[in-house]
Amino acid sequence: MATKNKVLGIIFPNMHDEAIPELTRIRTMASVPFGGRYRMIDFALSGFVAAGIEDICVVPRTSYVSLMDHVGSGKEWDLARKRGGLKIFPPYGEAGTKATQGRQGALEAVVDYIESTPCEYVILTDCGIAHAVDYADVIEKHAESGADITVVYKKELLDETAKTDNVVLDVRNGKVCEILINDVTEKVRNCGMWIYVFKKDLLVNAIHECEAKGLSEFERDVIQRNVGTLEIRGYEYTGYSRRITNLKSFFEANLDLINKESLAGLFKAYPIYTKVRDDAPVRYTIGSSVKNTVAGDGCFIEGNVEGSVLFRGVKVGKGATVKNCVLMQDTVVEDGAVLENVICDKAVKVTAGQKLMGTSTHPVYVEKKAKV
């Protein structure tokens, strides 16, 4: 099924902000840096574009300055268009407008726009999981099945950190028979990936009904409530994904990209686009040592780096050692410093001779623009 002009994509960038408050205090989950040069929203935007979805709206709630700076007009994803393209609907756009709360509040804020589009289907997604879902196949299967709603899920084991933020499905012969919200059992479950496909008219009616009844929980009041009433189908995703539930999972998800199979699983399905930064290639000086590391463009390495992810513009000085670390954009590690199991936010400066030592289960976090 050709998706052009038939599908509207909606992205909720603030969902799951509470999972990693260290990183989302000044930004949305969607604008959290990932993988050396990307942001979490890049996976949703690039997946939509690969599926031929050309009408996309992003509905942030708070802390969206970084997000707007990153996506801009959408030109990096070929979404800077006169018709359709990328649209951002921040709160406070009109007098008396309240900040949106959750998916339902965000949908209420853009329901007029949804109604005005010529689309047949609407696909909703968050930015709390790095994945390579084939959205075109999801939409095609949804249309073929005649379902009212399709929910994308993956069989996985949820850990303790996901107890308050999960959707678990009971799927039989492709049909969703039961939905449990915030339930964790110590076995592999059908875990929702927060990706939903709706028939447009059904979604619009559901938004208006929830608004009229004062209902505010989208999964509970629209999806779970209608199991058995509507035709709700499950779509199983079997590819690579990493769910971000806390700082530790963020740390592990980034370091997992050192594994070539993981890297291919996330980036091979379709191109992942991001904001361009015109930097020189990575520079390594004589005497430097780099092993099992992902390094973004603009990095300048004079010291020793092992098992780490370095974002764009990171500098590692002479005699410095960086091991099992995630260093975000423009971090500077001065001569002789030692870092192990550390996450540095953007533009951190670690002074000469300093030592920062965390563990793989409890990495040390250094906030943005800090000087240590």
Side-chain angles (χ1 to χ4, degrees), residues 40-75:
M40 290 298 290
I41 195 172
D42 294 339
F43 300 102
L45 284 176
S46 299
F48 281 175
V49 170
I53 300 172
E54 299 178 348
D55 194 351
I56 301 170
C57 60
V58 180
V59 195
R61 181 176 71 239
T62 58
S63 306
Y64 51 85
V65 174
S66 175
L67 175 67
M68 295 180 74
D69 175 69
H70 178 70
V71 300
S73 64
K75 67 177 182 178

Short mmCIF file of all heavy atoms in Angstrom, two decimals, residues 40-75:
data_model
loop_
_atom_site.label_atom_id
_atom_site.label_comp_id
_atom_site.label_asym_id
_atom_site.label_seq_id
_atom_site.Cartn_x
_atom_site.Cartn_y
_atom_site.Cartn_z
N MET A 40 17.08 10.89 19.95
CA MET A 40 16.10 9.81 19.95
C MET A 40 14.99 10.02 18.92
O MET A 40 14.47 9.06 18.36
CB MET A 40 15.50 9.66 21.35
CG MET A 40 16.46 9.10 22.40
SD MET A 40 17.05 7.42 22.03
CE MET A 40 15.55 6.47 22.28
N ILE A 41 14.64 11.25 18.63
CA ILE A 41 13.57 11.51 17.66
C ILE A 41 13.98 11.13 16.25
O ILE A 41 13.12 10.88 15.39
CB ILE A 41 13.12 12.99 17.69
CG1 ILE A 41 11.78 13.15 16.95
CG2 ILE A 41 14.20 13.90 17.11
CD1 ILE A 41 11.17 14.52 17.08
N ASP A 42 15.27 11.03 15.98
CA ASP A 42 15.73 10.71 14.63
C ASP A 42 15.22 9.35 14.16
O ASP A 42 14.98 9.15 12.97
CB ASP A 42 17.27 10.72 14.58
CG ASP A 42 17.85 12.10 14.80
OD1 ASP A 42 17.12 13.09 14.61
OD2 ASP A 42 19.03 12.19 15.17
N PHE A 43 15.03 8.41 15.08
CA PHE A 43 14.58 7.08 14.69
C PHE A 43 13.12 7.10 14.24
O PHE A 43 12.75 6.44 13.27
CB PHE A 43 14.80 6.10 15.84
CG PHE A 43 16.24 5.99 16.25
CD1 PHE A 43 16.71 6.65 17.37
CD2 PHE A 43 17.14 5.29 15.47
CE1 PHE A 43 18.05 6.59 17.73
CE2 PHE A 43 18.48 5.21 15.82
CZ PHE A 43 18.94 5.87 16.94
N ALA A 44 12.29 7.89 14.92
CA ALA A 44 10.89 8.01 14.52
C ALA A 44 10.78 8.78 13.20
O ALA A 44 10.10 8.35 12.27
CB ALA A 44 10.09 8.70 15.61
N LEU A 45 11.46 9.92 13.11
CA LEU A 45 11.37 10.73 11.90
C LEU A 45 11.90 9.98 10.68
O LEU A 45 11.26 9.96 9.62
CB LEU A 45 12.16 12.03 12.08
CG LEU A 45 11.52 13.12 12.93
CD1 LEU A 45 12.49 14.30 13.09
CD2 LEU A 45 10.21 13.61 12.32
N SER A 46 13.05 9.34 10.82
CA SER A 46 13.66 8.63 9.69
C SER A 46 12.81 7.42 9.29
O SER A 46 12.68 7.12 8.10
CB SER A 46 15.07 8.18 10.07
OG SER A 46 15.89 9.29 10.36
N GLY A 47 12.22 6.75 10.29
CA GLY A 47 11.35 5.61 9.99
C GLY A 47 10.11 6.05 9.23
O GLY A 47 9.68 5.38 8.28
N PHE A 48 9.52 7.17 9.63
CA PHE A 48 8.36 7.70 8.91
C PHE A 48 8.71 8.04 7.47
O PHE A 48 8.00 7.70 6.54
CB PHE A 48 7.83 8.95 9.62
CG PHE A 48 6.98 8.67 10.83
CD1 PHE A 48 6.53 9.71 11.63
CD2 PHE A 48 6.62 7.38 11.19
CE1 PHE A 48 5.73 9.48 12.73
CE2 PHE A 48 5.84 7.12 12.30
CZ PHE A 48 5.39 8.18 13.08
N VAL A 49 9.83 8.74 7.31
CA VAL A 49 10.25 9.15 5.96
C VAL A 49 10.52 7.93 5.09
O VAL A 49 10.13 7.88 3.92
CB VAL A 49 11.50 10.05 6.05
CG1 VAL A 49 12.11 10.28 4.66
CG2 VAL A 49 11.15 11.39 6.69
N ALA A 50 11.18 6.91 5.65
CA ALA A 50 11.45 5.69 4.89
C ALA A 50 10.16 5.00 4.45
O ALA A 50 10.12 4.32 3.42
CB ALA A 50 12.30 4.73 5.72
N ALA A 51 9.09 5.19 5.23
CA ALA A 51 7.80 4.58 4.91
C ALA A 51 6.98 5.43 3.94
O ALA A 51 5.87 5.04 3.58
CB ALA A 51 7.01 4.34 6.19
N GLY A 52 7.52 6.58 3.55
CA GLY A 52 6.79 7.43 2.62
C GLY A 52 5.79 8.35 3.29
O GLY A 52 4.94 8.96 2.62
N ILE A 53 5.86 8.48 4.60
CA ILE A 53 4.95 9.39 5.32
C ILE A 53 5.50 10.80 5.22
O ILE A 53 6.60 11.08 5.71
CB ILE A 53 4.80 8.95 6.79
CG1 ILE A 53 4.25 7.53 6.87
CG2 ILE A 53 3.91 9.92 7.55
CD1 ILE A 53 4.25 6.94 8.27
N GLU A 54 4.76 11.70 4.61
CA GLU A 54 5.25 13.05 4.33
C GLU A 54 4.54 14.12 5.13
O GLU A 54 4.85 15.30 5.00
CB GLU A 54 5.11 13.34 2.83
CG GLU A 54 5.92 12.39 1.95
CD GLU A 54 5.73 12.66 0.47
OE1 GLU A 54 4.81 13.43 0.13
OE2 GLU A 54 6.50 12.11 -0.33
N ASP A 55 3.59 13.73 5.94
CA ASP A 55 2.87 14.68 6.80
C ASP A 55 3.07 14.23 8.24
O ASP A 55 2.52 13.22 8.67
CB ASP A 55 1.38 14.68 6.43
CG ASP A 55 0.64 15.88 7.02
OD1 ASP A 55 1.25 16.59 7.85
OD2 ASP A 55 -0.52 16.10 6.66
N ILE A 56 3.89 14.97 8.97
CA ILE A 56 4.30 14.57 10.32
C ILE A 56 4.14 15.75 11.27
O ILE A 56 4.58 16.86 10.96
CB ILE A 56 5.76 14.08 10.35
CG1 ILE A 56 5.95 12.89 9.39
CG2 ILE A 56 6.20 13.72 11.76
CD1 ILE A 56 7.40 12.51 9.18
N CYS A 57 3.54 15.52 12.41
CA CYS A 57 3.49 16.58 13.40
C CYS A 57 4.06 16.10 14.73
O CYS A 57 3.89 14.94 15.12
CB CYS A 57 2.09 17.15 13.58
SG CYS A 57 0.82 16.01 14.09
N VAL A 58 4.78 17.00 15.39
CA VAL A 58 5.42 16.74 16.67
C VAL A 58 4.70 17.60 17.71
O VAL A 58 4.54 18.81 17.51
CB VAL A 58 6.92 17.07 16.62
CG1 VAL A 58 7.59 16.81 17.96
CG2 VAL A 58 7.61 16.28 15.52
N VAL A 59 4.28 16.98 18.82
CA VAL A 59 3.48 17.71 19.81
C VAL A 59 4.19 17.69 21.15
O VAL A 59 3.94 16.82 22.00
CB VAL A 59 2.07 17.08 19.94
CG1 VAL A 59 1.14 18.04 20.68
CG2 VAL A 59 1.48 16.73 18.57
N PRO A 60 5.10 18.64 21.39
CA PRO A 60 5.83 18.67 22.66
C PRO A 60 5.00 19.30 23.77
O PRO A 60 4.02 20.01 23.52
CB PRO A 60 7.05 19.52 22.34
CG PRO A 60 6.59 20.43 21.26
CD PRO A 60 5.58 19.66 20.46
N ARG A 61 5.42 19.07 25.01
CA ARG A 61 4.75 19.63 26.18
C ARG A 61 5.62 20.68 26.87
O ARG A 61 5.17 21.79 27.13
CB ARG A 61 4.40 18.50 27.15
CG ARG A 61 3.66 18.96 28.40
CD ARG A 61 3.25 17.78 29.27
NE ARG A 61 4.38 17.15 29.93
CZ ARG A 61 4.72 15.88 29.77
NH1 ARG A 61 4.05 15.11 28.95
NH2 ARG A 61 5.77 15.38 30.41
N THR A 62 6.87 20.32 27.18
CA THR A 62 7.77 21.23 27.88
C THR A 62 9.20 21.01 27.37
O THR A 62 9.48 20.04 26.67
CB THR A 62 7.77 20.97 29.40
OG1 THR A 62 8.15 19.60 29.63
CG2 THR A 62 6.39 21.21 30.00
N SER A 63 10.09 21.92 27.74
CA SER A 63 11.53 21.78 27.48
C SER A 63 11.83 21.45 26.02
O SER A 63 12.66 20.59 25.72
CB SER A 63 12.13 20.68 28.39
OG SER A 63 11.84 20.93 29.74
N TYR A 64 11.17 22.14 25.11
CA TYR A 64 11.27 21.77 23.71
C TYR A 64 12.19 22.66 22.88
O TYR A 64 12.25 22.53 21.66
CB TYR A 64 9.88 21.75 23.06
CG TYR A 64 9.06 23.00 23.28
CD1 TYR A 64 9.20 24.11 22.45
CD2 TYR A 64 8.16 23.08 24.32
CE1 TYR A 64 8.45 25.26 22.65
CE2 TYR A 64 7.40 24.22 24.53
CZ TYR A 64 7.54 25.31 23.69
OH TYR A 64 6.80 26.44 23.90
N VAL A 65 12.92 23.58 23.52
CA VAL A 65 13.82 24.46 22.77
C VAL A 65 14.90 23.65 22.06
O VAL A 65 15.18 23.85 20.88
CB VAL A 65 14.45 25.52 23.70
CG1 VAL A 65 15.50 26.33 22.94
CG2 VAL A 65 13.38 26.45 24.27
N SER A 66 15.51 22.70 22.79
CA SER A 66 16.55 21.86 22.19
C SER A 66 15.99 21.04 21.03
O SER A 66 16.64 20.86 20.00
CB SER A 66 17.12 20.92 23.26
OG SER A 66 18.05 20.02 22.70
N LEU A 67 14.76 20.55 21.21
CA LEU A 67 14.12 19.75 20.16
C LEU A 67 13.89 20.57 18.90
O LEU A 67 14.19 20.13 17.79
CB LEU A 67 12.80 19.20 20.68
CG LEU A 67 11.94 18.43 19.67
CD1 LEU A 67 12.64 17.14 19.27
CD2 LEU A 67 10.57 18.14 20.24
N MET A 68 13.37 21.79 19.06
CA MET A 68 13.10 22.64 17.91
C MET A 68 14.39 23.05 17.21
O MET A 68 14.44 23.16 15.98
CB MET A 68 12.29 23.86 18.34
CG MET A 68 10.91 23.50 18.86
SD MET A 68 9.91 24.91 19.39
CE MET A 68 9.45 25.61 17.80
N ASP A 69 15.44 23.27 17.99
CA ASP A 69 16.74 23.58 17.39
C ASP A 69 17.25 22.41 16.57
O ASP A 69 17.85 22.60 15.50
CB ASP A 69 17.74 23.93 18.50
CG ASP A 69 19.14 24.16 17.95
OD1 ASP A 69 19.35 25.17 17.25
OD2 ASP A 69 20.03 23.31 18.20
N HIS A 70 17.00 21.20 17.04
CA HIS A 70 17.49 20.01 16.34
C HIS A 70 16.73 19.75 15.05
O HIS A 70 17.34 19.55 13.99
CB HIS A 70 17.39 18.79 17.25
CG HIS A 70 17.83 17.51 16.61
ND1 HIS A 70 19.15 17.25 16.28
CD2 HIS A 70 17.12 16.42 16.19
CE1 HIS A 70 19.24 16.06 15.70
NE2 HIS A 70 18.02 15.54 15.64
N VAL A 71 15.41 19.74 15.11
CA VAL A 71 14.64 19.38 13.91
C VAL A 71 14.49 20.54 12.94
O VAL A 71 14.34 20.34 11.73
CB VAL A 71 13.25 18.81 14.29
CG1 VAL A 71 13.40 17.57 15.14
CG2 VAL A 71 12.39 19.85 14.99
N GLY A 72 14.52 21.78 13.47
CA GLY A 72 14.41 22.94 12.59
C GLY A 72 13.18 22.88 11.70
O GLY A 72 12.07 22.57 12.14
N SER A 73 13.38 23.11 10.41
CA SER A 73 12.29 23.07 9.44
C SER A 73 12.03 21.66 8.93
O SER A 73 11.09 21.43 8.16
CB SER A 73 12.62 23.97 8.24
OG SER A 73 13.76 23.47 7.55
N GLY A 74 12.91 20.73 9.33
CA GLY A 74 12.77 19.35 8.87
C GLY A 74 13.54 19.05 7.60
O GLY A 74 13.39 17.97 7.02
N LYS A 75 14.38 19.97 7.17
CA LYS A 75 15.06 19.78 5.88
C LYS A 75 16.01 18.58 5.88
O LYS A 75 16.24 17.97 4.83
CB LYS A 75 15.83 21.04 5.49
CG LYS A 75 17.02 21.38 6.37
CD LYS A 75 17.75 22.60 5.86
CE LYS A 75 18.97 22.92 6.72
NZ LYS A 75 19.72 24.10 6.20
#
